[in-house]
Amino acid sequence: MIKIKNLTKRFGDFVAVNDLSFDINPGEVVGFLGPNGAGKSTTMKMLTGFLAASSGSITINGLNIKEDALTIKQGLGYLPEGAPAYGDMTVLQFLSFIADVRGLTGRKKQVRIARVIKSVELASVLDKSIENLSKGFKRRVGLAQAIIHDPKVLILDEPTDGLDPNQKHHVRELIKNLAKDKIVIISTHILEEVTAVCNRALIIANGTKIFDGTPQQLQEKSSYHHAVTIELTQAVENGDELKSLPHVASVVDGKNKITVLPTSGHNIFASVYDKVQALGWQFDAIYSEQGRLDDIFRELTTSSTNAVDA
């Protein structure tokens, strides 16, 4: 278990992380979100012991990081931004080196290296030097070194950065499988990653926590939650007809597409569908939206910034 209490980090007069508190339990995959400069990377560096907090406490599996940093680090897997590695080593040499650093020897070392090579799909590049790999393969080598010792806590900074869609899918499935008995924290700018991988989302802005809940709860905060979108076969002139329906907040009329936004908490699909049928509109698709994460992310982080500026 991770317990963060009143965590603060100052760089001179600048407060990067401000009185941050949260707990994370085994089995949770936490999407750690925030705009650039929000304090995500600083928080992760404090969690991994690479930066000391100005105040507050970090406890991981019952150990305080100020007193037991080395023991805590032994049980952590960390994929930092950029996935630094020794470029002149081959992939296999690098993984063998990391296994040595992590104290793996003999049969156990061989088994763990073979397992991560298979899990992260590195077999085709084992004898290539890391400096000659593509960005995607470098990222996968970084993930492999983070999990080689089977850590109980895995901290990943942009784990799918540079991967193609197929590779992203594979890594996300790997993370979900790893998370069954681990704590996984993922810092990401890719909002779809939150719904694809995470069972919890934590958003910070200006070093302060502004949301902590499930991805579904985050989607429900969007004004597009339960919105109904109609993809029209051809444009219509009477889109405003939908505004008269009960529990409709507004109608967004675009070229060959109309989106009807509900008042908070209401499901308006049935009434919109019936009205569209009655109006005789020809459409290619009509569907209810779950919510737009980019919309609510922008709303939450912008309002937080405005509050600070005020």
Side-chain angles (χ1 to χ4, degrees):
M1 182 177 185
I2 295 177
K3 295 181 71 69
I4 307 297
K5 188 173 181 181
N6 306 122
L7 191 66
T8 298
K9 180 62 181 179
R10 299 182 182 88
F11 297 97
D13 294 331
F14 175 68
V15 181
V17 177
N18 186 17
D19 199 33
L20 192 61
S21 296
F22 58 87
D23 296 343
I24 306 177
N25 296 304
E28 288 191 305
V29 183
V30 179
F32 199 38
L33 306 170
N36 289 333
K40 301 189 305 297
S41 292
T42 300
T43 301
M44 296 179 88
K45 287 174 182 176
M46 287 189 285
L47 277 171
T48 54
F50 286 94
L51 269 181
S54 300
S55 60
S57 64
I58 299 172
T59 304
I60 300 178
N61 294 329
L63 301 175
N64 188 291
I65 202 160
K66 288 183 179 179
E67 301 163 0
D68 300 288
L70 183 57
T71 304
I72 287 174
K73 288 178 183 180
Q74 289 172 346
L76 289 180
Y78 181 35
L79 174 63
E81 188 176 9
Y86 294 105
D88 58 339
M89 286 185 175
T90 66
V91 172
L92 186 57
Q93 287 171 340
F94 179 66
L95 293 180
S96 179
F97 168 71
I98 295 298
D100 290 339
V101 170
R102 288 296 189 178
L104 299 175
T105 58
R107 177 67 179 161
K108 186 174 182 180
K109 173 182 173 180
Q110 294 174 0
V111 169
R112 285 303 304 168
I113 290 176
R115 186 168 295 174
V116 298
I117 287 169
K118 182 178 180 180
S119 296
V120 192
E121 296 185 337
L122 290 172
S124 63
V125 296
L126 287 181
D127 296 323
K128 291 186 178 181
S129 60
I130 292 174
E131 64 187 359
N132 292 326
L133 296 179
S134 67
K135 184 178 180 180
F137 269 117
K138 286 178 180 176
R139 206 69 187 139
R140 282 195 265 175
V141 171
L143 182 58
Q145 65 79 27
I147 65 175
I148 200 165
H149 57 303
D150 195 22
K152 291 299 182 184
V153 178
L154 195 55
I155 299 176
L156 308 175
D157 201 346
E158 303 287 349
T160 61
D161 183 38
L163 303 185
D164 66 34
N166 289 334
Q167 293 167 344
K168 284 182 181 180
H169 175 76
H170 179 79
V171 169
R172 288 169 181 170
E173 289 301 307
L174 174 62
I175 290 170
K176 285 192 282 188
N177 288 332
L178 288 170
K180 293 173 182 176
D181 61 345
K182 301 182 190 300
I183 288 173
V184 182
I185 303 174
I186 301 173
S187 174
T188 181
H189 288 92
I190 306 171
L191 293 175
E192 69 181 57
E193 207 140 82
V194 178
T195 51
V197 181
C198 304
N199 51 34
R200 181 175 167 191
L202 197 156
I203 303 177
I204 66 172
N206 302 300
T208 302
K209 182 174 69 176
I210 58 174
F211 178 84
D212 187 358
T214 66
Q216 181 180 349
Q217 288 169 332
L218 182 59
Q219 287 180 315
E220 289 172 358
K221 294 180 74 67
S222 168
S223 57
Y224 284 86
H225 181 59
H226 286 328
V228 179
T229 293
I230 308 115
E231 296 181 2
L232 297 159
T233 306
Q234 58 185 24
V236 296
E237 300 294 332
N238 54 344
D240 284 349
E241 291 273 355
L242 300 175
K243 291 181 179 178
S244 62
L245 292 173
H247 309 303
V248 168
S250 61
V251 175
V252 180
D253 197 342
K255 185 179 179 181
N256 290 353
K257 180 184 285 189
I258 293 176
T259 299
V260 188
L261 278 67
T263 54
S264 181
H266 289 96
N267 192 328
I268 58 172
F269 181 83
S271 60
V272 171
Y273 181 83
D274 289 344
K275 185 68 172 179
V276 167
Q277 292 282 65
L279 291 169
W281 292 357
Q282 299 297 308
F283 57 87
D284 297 319
I286 181 169
Y287 51 88
S288 181
E289 299 198 28
Q290 295 299 308
R292 299 183 183 180
L293 289 179
D294 56 346
D295 169 66
I296 190 58
F297 176 83
R298 186 168 53 250
E299 182 180 321
L300 287 172
T301 56
T302 301
S303 64
S304 174
T305 301
N306 291 340
V308 171
D309 291 343

